[in-house]
């Protein structure tokens, strides 16, 4: 039997190696699959490698099995639909890792072929108002952004466990640190306001990472914050410290983060429950499942949403039975018509013009992930409650950018993800008025324990909210408005560019536009432009429909006939990329210099694509020594080297 000092030493070394690997993953972190640029390529590669590592550990065939990454809650729901002989489960908690991750290795032939038990971002390949083409496995069963960094950490740990033994992460041995020290104290605590923001930017993990481009090695520019935001050193330190704490300290951290969330969101714990989830999608699915259990004699419930929504605030309301989904229209700049909202509520809830149907819930986004528009939640709430309905806000694009006061605004449910708030460690929350969820005590225990298993992710969320409070959301809003204005004005000077949404920086409506800019280049495919930006300038943005298919097709004028044609195409050719829009999304890690670089590089690409490049510019453009083919080869080498750095054994 291994003696205690040797085991402690091995545990200490194992956590050090795990942390080294995760820090390397954070240096090139972006969201997976649908982004462009070097960082998205690396993270996607690491994420898919994680599936292979799980199968390798379990000794299973990749041809016969598929790995699905779940929260504990979603794993329970999926396995309930499977025969016990058809799957195997690995849980981080069983190895002493509080990551909130379950890896399900499921026989491909055993997977349910029907509608997924949980729906939202990533589960649909294409959707319209009345139909959905679902993704194949595993995406169809991984609703919303998975806990990518935690999954990579788990895969790294599994490789180490296979080599060193299953007990190497049991009984952490670092110094005990209390919740206050982890959440409220750091090397930046002497700063506040704009000064803190400037100092925090210097700690951005991945800042200055050099990537190959036609112009030579370049510091990677990340303009994909709305998909998933990178993190800062104080936040990562909170995660590392929490991983190494005993369970009692982790429980204290979780409880303290509830207090932080309550303060940040204006949701007193006397009146609101704060339930930790894995992401926004899981939170909204919980709200939808709860609402589907409500009943009132002679009433047919209606959920009123809008054309603006991300699929995570659309699909869940379609999937649960006994409810009708109705959608508000939006204007060309992405704002709700409040008169239409009141008209619907008046007709359904006061005048009874639609028989037994009554609007029980209005579920809308706090900010659009495509157009960046912030609708007037105070006025929406006033109208909603005037007619006896409740208000749910999808705040995925709101919490990191604007101040929220749930009690003042009268918000009944609010859902958001930590990975949109500079804490990409697989946590999120459903904040809900007490007494309106309909789950049994046993169900609530499972729901709560599922989210709270990810103590490190919750600590990251708490830490970043403390930092944002110390900076001040007014400071952040001012900074992001200036950056967005600079980007919009720069794009407006480029021939062939169409900016979608509010494009006049002098308009009063521009103050209600967040740091998200969707645009297109005349007659050019968005995926090609995004890839050009990566190759030419080391710039990562996003392209496509951004899990907001209905909105994007509405903005592009895609009619019913073309929509049906697209449905056929994606069914027959699932890998084919359909037209969409380009999207830049900014955060507090971005700078004016990055925007200026983007405008220059994109301007050159646009000139080339539109055939307007002058001879003078051609000379400058062709000056770098690398061809695009050479850069693409170097990009693959960059991806492989970055992945090796994460998963390598030392």
């Amino acid at each position: 039997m291994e003696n205690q000092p040797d085991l402690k030493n091995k545990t200490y070394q194992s956590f050090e190696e795990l942390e080294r690997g995760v820090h390397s993953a954070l240096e090139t972190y972006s969201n997976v699959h649908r982004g462009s640029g070097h960082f998205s390529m690396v993270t996607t590669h690491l994420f898919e490698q994680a599936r292979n590592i799980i199968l390798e550990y379990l000794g299973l065939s990749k041809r016969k099995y598929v790995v699905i990454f779940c929260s504990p809650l979603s794993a329970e729901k999926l396995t309930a639909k499977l025969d016990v002989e058809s799957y195997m489960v690995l849980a981080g908690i069983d190895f002493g890792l509080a990551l909130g991750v379950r890896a399900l290795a499921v026989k491909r032939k055993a997977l349910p072929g029907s509608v997924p038990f949980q729906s939202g971002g990533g589960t649909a390949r294409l959707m319209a108002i009345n139909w959905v083409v679902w993704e194949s496995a595993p995406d169809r069963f991984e609703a919303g952004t998975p806990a990518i960094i935690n999954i990579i950490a788990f895969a790294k740990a599994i490789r180490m466990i296979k080599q060193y033994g299953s007990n190497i992460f049991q009984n952490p041995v670092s110094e005990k640190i209390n919740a206050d020290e982890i959440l409220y104290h750091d090397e930046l605590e002497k700063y506040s306001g704009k000064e803190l923001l400037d100092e925090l930017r210097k700690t951005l993990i991945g800042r200055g990472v050099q990537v190959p481009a036609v112009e030579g090695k370049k510091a990677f520019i990340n303009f994909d914050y709305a998909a998933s935001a990178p993190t800062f050193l104080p936040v990562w330190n909170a995660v590392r410290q929490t991983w190494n704490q005993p369970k009692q300290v982790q429980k204290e951290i979780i409880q303290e983060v509830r207090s932080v969330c309550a303060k940040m969101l204006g949701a007193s714990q006397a009146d609101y429950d704060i339930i930790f989830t894995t992401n926004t999608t899981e939170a909204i699915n919980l709200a939808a499942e709860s609402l589907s259990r409500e009943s009132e004699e002679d009433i047919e419930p209606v959920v009123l949403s809008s054309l603006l929504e991300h699929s995570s605030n659309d699909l869940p309301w379609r999937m649960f039975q006994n409810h009708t989904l109705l959608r508000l229209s939006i204007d060309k700049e992405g704002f709700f018509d409040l008169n239409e909202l009141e008209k619907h509520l008046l007709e359904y809830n006061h005048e009874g013009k639609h028989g037994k149907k009554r609007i029980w819930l209005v579920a809308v986004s706090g900010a659009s992930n495509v157009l960046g528009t912030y609708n007037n939640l105070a006025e929406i709430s006033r109208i909603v409650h005037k007619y006896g309905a409740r208000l749910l806000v999808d705040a995925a694009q709101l919490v990191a950018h604007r101040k929220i006061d749930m009690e003042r605004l009268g918000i009944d449910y609010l859902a958001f993800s930590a990975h949109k708030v500079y804490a990409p460690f697989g946590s999120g929350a459903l904040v809900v008025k007490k007494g309106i969820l309909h789950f049994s005590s046993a169900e609530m225990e499972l729901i709560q324990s599922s989210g709270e298993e990810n103590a490190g992710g919750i600590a990251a969320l708490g830490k970043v909210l403390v930092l944002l409070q110390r900076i001040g959301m007014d400071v952040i809003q001012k900074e992001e408005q200036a950056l967005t204005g600079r980007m919009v004005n720069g794009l407006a000077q480029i021939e062939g560019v169409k900016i979608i949404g509010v494009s006049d920086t002098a308009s009063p409506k521009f103050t209600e536009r967040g740091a998200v800019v969707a645009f297109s280049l005349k007659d050019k495919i968005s995926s090609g432009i995004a890839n050009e930006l990566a190759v030419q300038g080391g710039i990562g943005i996003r392209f496509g429909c951004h899990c907001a298919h209905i909105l994007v097709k509405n903005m592009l004028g895609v009619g019913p006939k073309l929509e049906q044609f697209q449905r056929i195409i994606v069914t027959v050719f699932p890998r084919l990329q359909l037209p969409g829009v380009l999207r830049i999304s900014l955060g507090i890690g971005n700078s004016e210099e990055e925007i200026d670089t983007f405008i220059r590089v994109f301007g050159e690409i646009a000139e080339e694509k539109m055939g307007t490049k002058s001879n003078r510019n051609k000379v400058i453009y062709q000056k770098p020594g690398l061809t695009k083919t050479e850069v693409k080869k170097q990009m693959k080498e960059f991806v492989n080297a970055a992945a090796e750095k994460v998963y390598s054994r030392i």
Side-chain angles (χ1 to χ4, degrees):
M1 182 176 177
E2 196 166 15
N3 65 53
Q4 198 66 18
D6 286 346
L7 180 59
K8 282 188 175 182
N9 187 49
K10 185 182 285 186
T11 301
Y12 179 79
Q13 291 175 343
S14 297
F15 269 103
E16 273 198 333
E17 184 177 337
L18 178 64
E19 290 167 12
R20 177 193 61 78
V22 175
H23 186 272
S24 294
L26 289 169
E27 288 179 330
T28 51
Y29 175 74
S30 183
N31 210 338
V32 294
H33 299 313
R34 290 170 291 277
S36 65
H38 308 65
F39 282 17
S40 183
M41 290 171 64
V42 173
T43 305
T44 300
H45 185 63
L46 288 168
F47 185 64
E48 294 305 324
Q49 264 192 294
R51 300 191 205 277
N52 295 334
I53 290 169
I54 298 300
L55 291 176
E56 179 187 275
Y57 179 81
L58 294 173
L60 299 175
S61 164
K62 184 178 179 181
R63 184 173 58 84
K64 294 181 179 179
Y65 285 82
V66 62
V67 172
I68 298 166
F69 292 111
C70 303
S71 69
L73 177 63
S74 57
E76 285 278 339
K77 292 188 173 184
L78 179 54
T79 55
K81 297 178 179 293
L82 300 172
D83 185 272
V84 71
E85 302 295 325
S86 67
Y87 67 90
M88 296 177 70
V89 182
L90 285 180
I93 200 71
D94 291 341
F95 298 99
L97 296 165
L99 299 169
V101 171
R102 297 286 185 276
L104 270 62
V106 186
K107 288 181 180 178
R108 292 181 182 273
K109 292 182 179 179
L111 283 167
S114 58
V115 172
F117 67 92
Q118 184 171 275
S119 59
T123 61
R125 187 176 304 153
L126 186 67
M127 53 186 276
I129 286 177
N130 297 316
W131 51 261
V132 179
V133 177
W134 297 105
E135 279 285 5
S136 55
D139 296 309
R140 184 150 53 98
F141 302 100
E142 293 177 342
T145 299
I148 299 166
I149 290 294
N150 291 29
I151 288 163
I152 293 168
F154 187 41
K156 167 76 174 177
I158 286 295
R159 270 206 166 163
M160 294 168 63
I161 286 164
K162 186 173 183 179
Q163 183 176 8
Y164 304 131
S166 61
N167 62 351
I168 58 172
F169 296 108
Q170 303 290 349
N171 304 314
V173 293
S174 68
E175 179 185 353
K176 187 175 179 180
I177 309 173
N178 64 36
D180 278 5
E181 185 67 26
I182 290 173
L183 295 173
Y184 298 109
H185 299 285
D186 52 67
E187 62 274 20
L188 302 180
E189 61 186 285
K190 65 181 179 181
Y191 302 106
S192 62
K194 178 66 164 58
E195 191 176 17
L196 172 57
L197 176 56
D198 292 338
E199 292 298 319
L200 186 63
R201 279 178 175 145
K202 296 175 185 177
T203 76
L204 184 71
I205 300 178
R207 184 174 184 259
V209 169
Q210 299 289 301
V211 299
V214 165
E215 298 181 355
K217 291 282 186 180
K218 294 288 180 182
F220 183 76
I221 297 176
N222 184 353
F223 283 148
D224 199 17
Y225 278 62
S228 197
T231 195
F232 302 95
L233 189 59
V235 180
W236 166 230
N237 285 338
V239 176
R240 293 190 309 112
Q241 291 168 340
T242 301
W243 281 352
N244 281 278
Q245 296 308 307
K247 284 186 172 55
Q248 183 54 44
V249 174
Q250 291 181 351
K251 287 180 180 178
E252 291 168 5
I253 291 168
I254 290 166
Q255 193 52 43
E256 187 59 31
V257 174
R258 277 200 175 87
S259 298
V260 172
C261 288
K263 182 179 179 182
M264 181 75 171
L265 303 173
S268 70
Q269 293 189 74
D271 297 315
Y272 287 88
D273 288 319
I274 298 171
I275 299 164
F276 294 113
T277 62
T278 193
N279 53 31
T280 307
T281 304
E282 186 172 78
I284 294 176
N285 272 269
L286 285 171
E289 183 178 354
S290 173
L291 192 69
S292 71
R293 298 180 180 191
E294 293 188 35
S295 62
E296 190 173 322
E297 194 173 350
D298 295 328
I299 293 295
E300 297 176 17
V302 176
V303 173
L304 178 58
S305 190
S306 82
L307 296 178
L308 195 68
E309 305 310 312
H310 186 283
S311 61
S312 290
N313 196 34
D314 182 288
L315 291 175
W317 307 113
R318 301 197 206 190
M319 296 304 109
F320 288 103
Q321 297 178 352
N322 306 321
H323 288 73
T324 300
L325 178 60
L326 183 68
R327 295 179 181 86
L328 290 168
S329 61
I330 54 172
D331 64 24
K332 64 180 182 179
E333 293 180 320
F335 293 98
F336 304 146
D337 183 341
L338 297 183
N339 291 324
E340 182 189 1
L341 170 64
E342 184 149 21
K343 179 175 179 289
H344 281 310
L345 285 159
L346 177 68
E347 290 182 353
Y348 277 85
N349 291 10
H350 184 68
E351 297 176 344
K353 287 187 175 180
H354 301 275
K356 297 179 180 179
K357 292 184 176 181
R358 299 290 182 272
I359 296 173
W360 280 17
L361 180 76
V362 175
V364 294
S365 58
S368 168
N369 73 309
V370 178
L371 304 178
T373 46
Y374 294 99
N375 277 280
N376 188 338
L377 291 179
E379 186 62 12
I380 290 169
S381 179
R382 183 192 68 77
I383 296 169
V384 167
H385 290 103
K386 176 181 176 181
Y387 294 95
R390 297 181 199 147
L391 176 63
L392 179 143
V393 175
D394 171 358
Q397 302 295 336
L398 190 60
V399 173
H401 307 285
R402 295 285 172 108
K403 182 176 175 56
I404 302 170
D405 189 330
M406 289 185 67
E407 290 188 278
R408 182 181 64 80
L409 292 172
I411 298 171
D412 299 289
Y413 311 77
L414 184 134
F416 71 99
S417 294
H419 76 93
K420 308 282 192 186
V421 198
Y422 313 104
F425 300 94
S427 189
L430 175 64
V431 185
V432 55
K433 278 192 174 178
K434 287 186 178 293
I436 62 174
L437 289 182
H438 296 271
F439 295 107
S440 69
S441 56
E443 288 172 323
M444 278 307 304
E445 184 178 350
L446 175 59
I447 291 167
Q448 290 174 329
S449 65
S450 173
E452 291 174 18
E453 187 177 303
N454 183 12
I458 292 170
L461 172 59
K463 183 67 180 183
V464 79
L465 292 183
V466 167
L467 289 166
L468 295 183
Q469 285 176 318
R470 281 165 42 193
I471 293 169
M473 297 310 295
D474 55 335
V475 173
I476 290 169
Q477 182 177 339
K478 183 178 178 181
E479 285 284 305
E480 291 183 347
Q481 280 272 282
L483 291 173
T484 307
R486 194 179 190 93
M487 181 65 79
V488 168
N489 286 332
L491 283 170
Q493 303 305 310
I494 298 173
E495 185 177 346
V497 168
K498 178 183 179 182
I499 298 170
I500 304 171
V502 183
S503 57
D504 179 3
T505 56
S507 166
K509 282 190 174 181
F510 195 77
T511 60
E512 298 309 316
R513 173 169 198 153
V516 176
V517 183
F519 63 103
S520 61
L521 184 63
K522 187 177 180 181
D523 300 328
K524 307 304 174 187
I525 300 296
S526 61
S527 58
I529 300 297
N531 291 329
E532 284 283 317
L533 284 164
V535 170
Q536 296 289 356
I539 299 168
I541 68 169
R542 212 158 190 80
F543 61 88
C545 288
H546 313 289
C547 294
H549 300 187
I550 297 171
L551 170 62
V552 171
K553 288 187 288 186
N554 182 272
M555 289 291 172
L556 295 179
V558 175
K561 289 184 179 180
L562 179 55
E563 200 171 51
Q564 285 294 341
F565 177 69
Q566 290 178 341
R567 182 182 186 181
I568 294 168
I569 290 295
V570 300
T571 303
V572 178
F573 304 104
R575 294 189 179 182
L576 186 69
Q577 292 176 341
L578 293 175
V581 296
L582 298 157
R583 185 189 71 183
I584 292 165
S585 52
L586 310 172
I588 59 174
N590 290 127
S591 66
E592 291 182 350
E593 292 74 19
E594 289 177 332
I595 290 171
D596 294 344
T597 298
F598 169 82
I599 294 301
R600 177 183 62 78
V601 174
F602 177 64
E604 291 175 345
I605 292 169
E607 284 182 345
E608 182 185 43
K609 297 293 184 185
M610 300 296 292
T612 59
K613 184 174 291 297
S614 67
N615 289 330
R616 178 182 60 82
N617 283 340
K618 281 182 181 178
V619 173
I620 295 171
Y621 191 64
Q622 294 174 356
K623 186 178 179 181
L626 292 176
T627 66
K628 293 178 185 178
T629 301
E630 289 170 332
V631 173
K632 289 176 182 178
K633 181 182 177 183
Q634 288 191 6
M635 287 173 72
K636 290 181 180 178
E637 292 169 353
F638 175 84
V639 169
N640 290 330
E644 178 65 20
K645 191 177 175 183
V646 172
Y647 285 136
S648 65
R649 302 182 178 110
I650 58 172

